[in-house]
């Protein structure tokens, strides 16, 4: 194997491990609010503005089908609703209901406490460096997928 192969394998393994760690933390934060990490992820994507399912999938790096399943469950449970989309009649917009916003609000204190602990552990400068590195890696992978 070459150095680049070893680096790709190492990056992938660490990303998978990090993803698992974040999912475990997210499940723990979401559970007391009565939702799952996936529900939180989809609701979080539409807190600022309603989006179509395909837009949520693009922003969150999820499959369109997976977002559709979660969105339908959120609507069924009264945590979100579909609204007409003036730009595309068939692609309805998803937005949180008051109950959905309340669920997210219940997560906020524990989320803030964890954020404070993580930044204290890393240091603010290192936390910014980590975020920049992850964004750069994501951007590079996106570019390679767009231009194989």
């Amino acid at each position: 194997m070459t150095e680049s192969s070893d680096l790709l394998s190492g990056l992938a393994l660490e990303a998978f491990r990090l993803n698992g760690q974040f999912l475990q933390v997210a499940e723990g934060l979401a559970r007391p609010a009565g939702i799952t990490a996936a529900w939180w992820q989809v609701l979080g994507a539409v807190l600022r503005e309603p989006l179509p399912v395909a837009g949520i999938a693009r922003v969150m790096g999820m499959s369109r089908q997976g977002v559709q399943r979660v969105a339908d469950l959120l609507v069924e449970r009264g945590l979100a609703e579909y609204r007409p989309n003036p730009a595309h009649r068939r692609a309805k917009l998803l937005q949180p209901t008051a109950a959905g916003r309340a669920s997210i609000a219940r997560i906020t204190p524990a989320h803030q406490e964890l954020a404070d602990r993580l930044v204290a552990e890393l240091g603010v400068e290192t936390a910014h460096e980590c975020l920049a590195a992850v964004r750069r890696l994501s951007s590079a992978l996106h570019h390679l997928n767009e231009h194989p």
Side-chain angles (χ1 to χ4, degrees), residues 1-107:
M1 284 178 105
T2 65
E3 182 179 18
S4 59
S5 292
D6 287 344
L7 285 168
L8 176 60
S9 294
L11 287 166
L13 288 172
E14 290 304 321
F16 294 149
R17 184 184 346 259
L18 188 60
N19 182 59
Q21 291 168 324
F22 271 121
L23 287 174
Q24 183 178 15
V25 165
E27 287 293 345
L29 290 172
R31 191 175 303 112
I35 63 175
T36 69
W39 294 13
W40 180 18
Q41 189 175 15
V42 171
L43 279 172
V46 296
L47 281 178
R48 292 196 175 124
E49 66 175 331
L51 293 170
V53 166
I56 297 166
R58 198 170 26 258
V59 168
M60 301 309 284
M62 300 168 71
S63 73
R64 193 200 60 73
Q65 295 84 354
V67 172
Q68 186 68 63
R69 280 192 296 276
V70 171
D72 289 344
L73 283 169
L74 290 169
V75 169
E76 184 180 299
R77 302 262 186 343
L79 299 171
E81 61 188 358
Y82 289 116
R83 306 296 267 170
N85 183 349
H88 193 289
R89 193 173 54 204
R90 288 182 42 211
K92 293 188 182 334
L93 299 172
L94 185 73
Q95 72 177 30
T97 60
R101 287 185 184 282
S103 290
I104 298 299
R106 282 193 290 280
I107 295 169

Side-chain angles (χ1 to χ4, degrees), residues 113-125:
E113 190 265 336
L114 178 63
D116 292 343
R117 287 177 46 218
L118 181 61
V119 171
E121 176 76 19
L122 290 171
V124 173
E125 186 176 329

Side-chain angles (χ1 to χ4, degrees), residues 116-140:
D116 292 343
R117 287 177 46 218
L118 181 61
V119 171
E121 176 76 19
L122 290 171
V124 173
E125 186 176 329
T126 300
H128 281 290
E129 290 169 358
C130 289
L131 179 57
V134 170
R135 283 181 174 157
R136 177 67 186 109
L137 178 58
S138 178
S139 176

